[in-house]
């Protein structure tokens, strides 16, 4: 698989509670990617047809389920087909949650289920602006959705039926990344966080933390020299591989592949085993300021 420094491999072959790996909170919180090369998400015979970009409605980037109701977004088709697609993606959400609570028992009762996304569109074919271009190394941070220190834990699985890997790059540590750009990031305009929230451009207040995270995301993607020459590893996730990381911490880029399914979980930084290794704590330490203001 390669990229052994950042990626830690585990032998699990089951999503269920009797799998061998548990209590690995410190590994994922330290900025590693946990990879399970023998943990496939099995599709029924009748679900194979969903591995086709025609189910994506072309407007949204992905097909997704929104919880708690689990409603299907971004898909087009007959109601019966869409119900079956919904059930397939919901099954992945359930499997992921079971796995997450086994790997990270400390998070029990604290992990909140975010969207589940199904990505039948080829990475290479997604036309995007530089800011939305996920083939550039980045940490996850979103203009309209300030996290206010809440962590983004993601469980990905390659469901490609033709042997094609999901090709990622992973980059430097969050601390090194913050040190690289923080000195050149200015303060937001006075009143801008209030204005963005009042106009409904952000779902909630863009804190100092969110300002820095978004700037790190944008600086990295806009910096061609960084993309080319910063420390990085290429990692291929073969079909049947599941991988887990805090995507707000691990520098990552998706270079190629098709047919992936992903579950996002939210976790408050205070519920980590080692809150000091979270982006919030690292940024507060480097800047010497509280950032949830
Ligand atoms: C990303 O999270 O940046 C993209 C991941 C992927 O599509 O493989
Ligand atoms: Fe990303």
């Amino acid at each position: 698989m390669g990229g052994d420094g950042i990626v830690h491999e585990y032998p699990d072959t089951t999503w269920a509670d009797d799998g061998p790996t548990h209590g690995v909170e410190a590994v994922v919180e330290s900025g590693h990617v946990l990879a399970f090369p023998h943990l496939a998400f099995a599709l029924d015979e009748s679900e194979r047809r969903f591995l086709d970009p025609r189910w994506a409605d072309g407007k949204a980037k992905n097909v997704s389920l929104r919880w708690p109701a689990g409603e299907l977004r971004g898909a087009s088709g007959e109601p019966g087909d869409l119900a079956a697609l919904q059930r397939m993606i919901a099954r992945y959400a359930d499997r992921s949650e079971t796995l997450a609570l086994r790997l990270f028992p400390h998070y029990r009762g604290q992990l909140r289920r975010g969207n589940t996304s199904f990505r039948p569109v080829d990475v290479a074919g997604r036309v995007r602006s530089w800011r939305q271009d996920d083939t550039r190394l980045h940490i996850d941070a979103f203009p309209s959705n300030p996290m206010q220190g809440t962590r983004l834990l993601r469980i990905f699985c390659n469901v490609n039926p033709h042997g094609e890997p999901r090709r990622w790059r992973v980059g430097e540590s969050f601390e090194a990344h913050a040190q690289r750009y923080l000195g050149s990031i200015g303060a937001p305009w006075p009143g801008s966080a209030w204005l963005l929230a009042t106009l409904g451009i952000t779902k909630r207040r863009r804190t100092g933390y969110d300002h820095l995270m978004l700037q790190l995301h944008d600086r990295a993607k806009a910096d061609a020299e960084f993309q080319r020459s910063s420390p990085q590893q290429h990692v291929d996730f073969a079909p049947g591989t599941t991988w887990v990381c805090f995507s707000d911490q691990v520098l990552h880029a998706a270079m190629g592949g098709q047919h992936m399914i992903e579950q996002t979980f939210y976790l408050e930084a205070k519920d980590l085993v080692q809150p000091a290794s979270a982006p919030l704590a690292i940024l507060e330490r480097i800047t010497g300021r509280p950032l949830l203001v």
Side-chain angles (χ1 to χ4, degrees):
M1 175 169 293
D4 297 329
I6 296 171
V7 180
H8 284 212
E9 284 193 16
Y10 297 90
D12 305 48
T13 57
T14 174
W15 298 82
D17 285 337
D18 57 348
T21 306
H22 42 83
V24 287
E25 293 90 345
V27 183
V28 74
E29 290 180 22
S30 301
H32 290 104
V33 177
L34 281 51
F36 301 85
H38 312 290
L39 191 54
F41 177 62
L43 303 189
D44 297 340
E45 196 55 49
S46 67
E47 290 172 336
R48 303 264 155 80
R49 65 203 162 106
F50 294 129
L51 301 177
D52 188 316
R54 77 189 156 100
W55 299 98
D57 71 6
K59 294 192 280 283
K61 204 160 123 185
N62 307 309
V63 176
S64 63
L65 296 193
R66 294 226 187 142
W67 300 98
E71 75 252 349
L72 185 68
R73 299 290 178 97
S76 67
E78 298 299 318
D81 292 330
L82 294 184
L85 178 58
Q86 195 277 349
R87 283 195 299 276
M88 179 185 87
I89 304 173
R91 191 171 75 244
Y92 183 75
D94 290 342
R95 296 269 192 287
S96 297
E97 195 163 304
T98 302
L99 177 68
L101 294 175
R102 164 161 66 85
L103 298 178
F104 315 120
H106 188 82
Y107 305 162
R108 184 170 290 277
Q110 312 300 337
L111 221 46
R112 283 182 288 123
R113 189 186 276 196
N115 288 356
T116 319
S117 80
F118 173 56
R119 310 183 187 188
V121 179
D122 200 313
V123 166
R126 301 197 294 200
V127 186
R128 285 165 249 98
S129 66
W130 67 268
R131 209 184 196 196
Q132 294 178 330
D133 181 0
D134 289 339
T135 70
R136 303 180 194 211
L137 284 165
H138 64 283
I139 51 157
D140 285 345
F142 311 104
S144 64
N145 197 11
M147 285 293 114
Q148 302 187 332
T150 300
R151 304 301 312 277
L152 280 169
L153 179 70
R154 296 193 140 152
I155 302 188
F156 303 88
C157 185
N158 183 352
V159 291
N160 187 285
H162 309 299
E164 195 187 336
R166 193 97 183 162
R167 293 173 31 238
W168 271 32
R169 290 186 290 154
V170 292
E172 64 194 357
S173 72
F174 184 86
E175 169 110 31
H177 194 58
Q179 297 283 8
R180 177 187 294 273
Y181 291 115
L182 270 190
S184 65
I185 297 175
W189 294 105
S192 62
W194 172 84
L195 189 64
L196 290 167
T198 301
L199 296 177
I201 294 168
T202 53
K203 291 186 196 169
R204 59 193 80 79
R205 193 183 157 75
R206 186 183 289 173
T207 64
Y209 170 77
D210 296 294
H211 171 71
L212 292 180
M213 292 294 280
L214 198 54
Q215 285 290 319
L216 288 176
H217 170 277
D218 289 358
R219 294 294 172 96
K221 282 189 174 175
D223 185 344
E225 183 57 30
F226 167 74
Q227 292 294 328
R228 200 169 30 242
S229 63
S230 68
Q232 55 191 275
Q233 302 168 356
H234 289 259
V235 189
D236 283 355
F237 298 107
T241 301
T242 296
W243 65 104
V244 183
C245 70
F246 278 110
S247 64
D248 54 358
Q249 176 176 11
V250 175
L251 270 286
H252 63 281
M255 308 313 293
Q258 186 178 6
H259 305 305
M260 197 264 278
I261 187 162
E262 174 269 333
Q263 177 64 50
T264 295
F265 296 97
Y266 300 109
L267 182 71
E268 300 310 314
K270 69 173 174 48
D271 296 320
L272 297 163
V273 168
Q274 22 177 69
S277 61
L280 175 62
I282 292 172
L283 293 173
E284 288 190 333
R285 181 159 45 74
I286 298 174
T287 60
R289 302 187 266 125
L291 293 172
L292 293 186
V293 290

